[in-house]
Amino acid sequence: MSVRVRFAPSPTGYLHIGAARSALFNWLYARKTGGQFLLRIEDTDLQRSTDESTRSIIEGLEWLGLDYDEDLVFQSANAPKHRAAALSLLEEGKAYRDFTPKEQRNDNNVKEDIAERARTQTDQRRNPYRDLSKQESDDRAAAGEPFAIRLKVAVSGQTHFADIVYGPQERGYSEIEDLVLLRSDSHPLYNLSVVIDDIEMGITHVIRGQDHLTNTHKQVLLYEALGAEVPQFAHLPLILAPNKGKLSKRKHGEVVSLTTYRDRGFVPAAFRNFLALLGWSPPEGKELLSKEELVQYFSLEGIGRANAIFNFHENDPRRWTDDKALWVNSEYIRTMPLDELLPMVRAELRANKLWREEYDDEDREWFSKTVDLIRQRYFTLKDFSEQGRAYFSDDFDFEEAAVAKNLRKEPRLRELLRGLADKLETVEPFNVETSEAALRAFADEAGVKAGLLINGSRTMLTGQAVGPSMFEIFDVLGKEASVNRLRSGVPWS
Ligand code: GLU
């Protein structure tokens, strides 16, 4: 039977990177096996679901290059089917009406703490309505008394399933509540809706976060009650905050939201590659993998059980997200084909008003050479408009530390660099070799080390202390800009 998997996010906010990772693993498994990857928007929480969130999920998947098959499914559209299923379980005596008055009810399946849950479970086994005669139940319903519908979980026995990642799982029925299927306002609840939809969509493998393990036991009971084939399950290890706590937007901010990575200059392929490494180990430790390689090497068996730690440094702007994410992104920026990188840099420059149409036209070659030169040290696409600003505009900032270290500490440099400017002005043609020869000759004449002039020039020309080889910088900036910047008094004032 052909593999059918799904990504089933609730559209109640941003797309969490953990959810994006689930989407990726489902997608990889489908593409690997020649199966189908389906998208179901679980929008049954009408108060919290928003169109904006649905849009951000779809855009996020698109950004990551995860195309879905068949039509998008909105879970809310299936509510009548969910209701019908609950009613037929009731009809078959596998579920029962719970007439507990509203004030005493807790039928939202809300997350309770453990003590509370233990209390409810025992209570539910004692639910006075569980063993109500069919006649009485029907009569009370017919008389208009409101009721919820609960699954009747057998008193003794246990559920089993073999999780592909976590191995055999079992849970005693005594630990599973008589879960609510339909609320008294006939709103179907999560476990019922998911199971009915998964059956309806022919899902063969459910791949989702480990935080759903408890639900899975309940869902197995539902499959059994419905007489449906239980799919295979693969639960994914969690992605935790550096302190091993839950990674949440409320606590950790934008760093957990997928769109942040798009907005802060990640190359989509790099972020996809990084996400794949959160919980899955590629064979032979090869960490940089193209989309094709991910598909080729991916396997559910390669997923580990250890939770992944998402290491970021909240108070360090240069390490605002996981070091590995930044490293993977820098590797992509450094090594990806230039013709794929250039449009991304163009978008970045355009968004910062640094783009000039000539870069697409007569300066095309210059643009590509400059990007190729400066990309070697960059971590994100933002760096092209921030650290790289001086390559695209005369209006750039000087880093205070660079000025102190490479200029101010040697007061003679101000004059020396002006002298160098005069010398470079006479150089023709002006390129890597000739600018180097001129600078070295000038250093000899002035009796100073070339390094002093090189470092000073780098800061005068780019505002920074580090960057590509100085002579490459002279070459891409050209004679006029190089000479003007060497003469500029700005960093000295
Ligand atoms: N809608 C659920 C969630 O966003 C996922 C359901 C599932 O994958 O079964 O957590």
Side-chain angles (χ1 to χ4, degrees):
M1 189 171 48
S2 157
V3 162
R4 289 173 68 84
V5 293
R6 81 319 190 257
F7 174 48
S10 307
T12 53
Y14 62 98
L15 182 54
H16 189 289
I17 52 169
R21 195 256 330 238
S22 297
L24 173 61
F25 283 16
N26 275 286
W27 182 88
L28 284 172
Y29 191 58
R31 295 296 170 259
K32 165 100 198 176
T33 56
Q36 308 291 306
F37 170 67
L38 311 180
L39 177 59
R40 180 171 77 228
I41 302 291
E42 302 213 320
D43 58 343
T44 50
D45 183 340
L46 299 173
Q47 261 103 50
R48 294 176 60 226
S49 300
T50 64
D51 291 346
E52 193 196 337
S53 173
T54 300
R55 260 197 310 278
S56 90
I57 290 166
I58 293 172
E59 276 174 25
L61 294 183
E62 214 171 87
W63 185 71
L64 285 172
L66 310 182
D67 53 324
Y68 59 88
D69 303 307
E70 303 182 3
D71 289 338
L72 175 61
V73 173
F74 284 94
Q75 184 160 65
S76 57
N78 297 340
K81 285 185 188 142
H82 307 158
R83 271 183 215 113
L87 291 173
S88 75
L89 288 172
L90 178 66
E91 200 52 43
E92 293 169 38
K94 294 175 176 165
Y96 62 94
R97 295 191 187 89
D98 178 358
F99 294 99
T100 308
K102 205 169 182 161
E103 319 70 78
Q104 298 166 23
R105 220 162 33 214
N106 173 15
D107 65 3
N108 252 330
N109 281 0
V110 285
K111 284 196 183 112
E112 309 121 315
D113 66 30
I114 293 171
E116 172 70 4
R117 188 153 13 136
R119 190 190 61 75
T120 343
Q121 277 152 15
T122 359
D123 281 1
Q124 267 153 9
R125 287 298 179 274
R126 280 194 245 114
N127 189 312
Y129 302 102
R130 189 178 148 107
D131 299 311
L132 210 61
S133 72
K134 178 163 178 2
Q135 190 61 56
E136 189 180 347
S137 173
D138 289 350
D139 289 349
R140 288 172 74 161
E145 197 176 330
F147 58 86
I149 295 182
R150 285 183 185 272
L151 186 71
K152 197 183 254 180
V153 178
V155 176
S156 62
Q158 46 201 299
T159 55
H160 300 272
F161 65 91
D163 191 83
I164 297 173
V165 176
Y166 288 89
Q169 304 289 313
E170 51 180 55
R171 182 143 308 171
Y173 290 159
S174 61
E175 287 176 62
I176 305 176
E177 64 188 340
D178 282 352
L179 51 145
V180 176
L181 306 178
L182 278 195
R183 248 170 20 193
S184 56
D185 59 3
S186 85
H187 185 82
L189 290 188
Y190 165 72
N191 283 302
L192 175 69
S193 302
V194 166
V195 169
I196 300 300
D197 288 356
D198 282 345
I199 294 171
E200 183 84 5
M201 292 163 78
I203 299 304
T204 57
H205 295 71
V206 172
I207 305 169
R208 62 182 168 200
Q210 188 246 58
D211 47 332
H212 280 290
L213 266 174
T214 306
N215 285 323
T216 304
H217 287 284
K218 298 175 185 172
Q219 293 175 15
V220 167
L221 280 174
L222 268 170
Y223 281 103
E224 288 168 352
L226 292 159
E229 193 178 336
V230 183
Q232 305 234 47
F233 292 97
H235 287 86
L236 309 176
L238 301 178
I239 303 174
L240 302 177
N243 68 0
K244 302 203 167 64
K246 190 170 181 250
L247 193 59
S248 74
K249 180 147 183 186
R250 191 172 51 77
K251 280 211 204 98
H252 303 105
E254 302 292 328
V255 71
V256 303
S257 165
L258 184 74
T259 41
T260 302
Y261 294 85
R262 181 192 62 195
D263 300 343
R264 294 185 70 168
F266 267 74
V267 172
F271 199 67
R272 180 175 63 218
N273 188 154
F274 165 71
L275 276 183
L277 303 177
L278 286 173
W280 172 69
S281 309
E284 294 161 30
K286 181 169 156 57
E287 292 194 301
L288 296 173
L289 301 119
S290 66
K291 195 174 192 174
E292 292 69 32
E293 288 172 314
L294 287 173
V295 170
Q296 182 187 344
Y297 295 126
F298 185 76
S299 74
L300 296 176
E301 290 70 30
I303 299 171
R305 295 180 192 178
N307 290 329
I309 309 283
F310 195 64
N311 265 317
F312 57 98
H313 307 264
E314 259 164 315
N315 302 318
D316 182 349
R318 293 205 59 80
R319 298 171 78 193
W320 60 273
T321 184
D322 192 276
D323 292 336
K324 187 143 193 188
L326 288 168
W327 173 76
V328 173
N329 204 44
S330 72
E331 286 296 313
Y332 271 76
I333 287 179
R334 211 167 59 76
T335 61
M336 68 194 283
L338 256 189
D339 58 348
E340 286 172 29
L341 178 63
L342 292 178
M344 298 184 196
V345 178
R346 177 200 305 161
E348 174 60 28
L349 294 185
R350 192 167 262 158
N352 290 283
K353 304 199 168 49
L354 292 170
W355 173 254
R356 295 200 209 140
E357 291 311 323
E358 300 90 276
Y359 297 162
D360 241 354
D361 204 349
E362 70 262 29
D363 289 342
R364 200 192 191 96
E365 221 171 288
W366 175 87
F367 179 62
S368 141
K369 179 168 147 184
T370 303
V371 168
D372 195 22
L373 175 67
I374 62 182
R375 68 170 166 163
Q376 299 304 328
R377 290 167 177 271
Y378 288 174
F379 284 90
T380 73
L381 296 168
K382 287 263 148 250
D383 291 338
F384 286 95
S385 65
E386 292 172 1
Q387 293 182 53
R389 193 178 168 92
Y391 294 90
F392 306 105
S393 165
D394 288 326
D395 173 21
F396 59 92
D397 290 333
F398 290 85
E399 269 175 22
E400 202 34 58
V403 172
K405 176 164 160 255
N406 290 337
L407 298 175
R408 288 218 191 91
K409 76 160 194 237
E410 175 51 86
R412 280 188 305 154
L413 263 177
R414 188 169 186 174
E415 277 319 307
L416 281 168
L417 293 173
R418 285 195 170 150
L420 176 62
D422 295 343
K423 173 118 191 166
L424 290 176
E425 203 165 28
T426 65
V427 170
E428 198 58 53
F430 188 81
N431 57 35
V432 176
E433 294 75 27
T434 57
S435 63
E436 171 161 13
L439 183 142
R440 294 198 187 279
F442 182 78
D444 280 350
E445 287 156 27
V448 294
K449 285 202 178 117
L452 184 73
L453 300 176
I454 289 174
N455 292 334
S457 299
R458 183 178 289 110
T459 301
M460 290 296 278
L461 266 60
T462 67
Q464 291 164 6
V466 292
S469 137
M470 189 57 230
F471 308 110
E472 305 268 10
I473 301 178
F474 279 138
D475 183 47
V476 298
L477 287 180
K479 183 152 76 176
E480 194 184 333
S482 299
V483 165
N484 288 343
R485 290 183 190 185
L486 285 174
R487 287 177 178 154
S488 147
V490 178
W492 301 99
S493 48

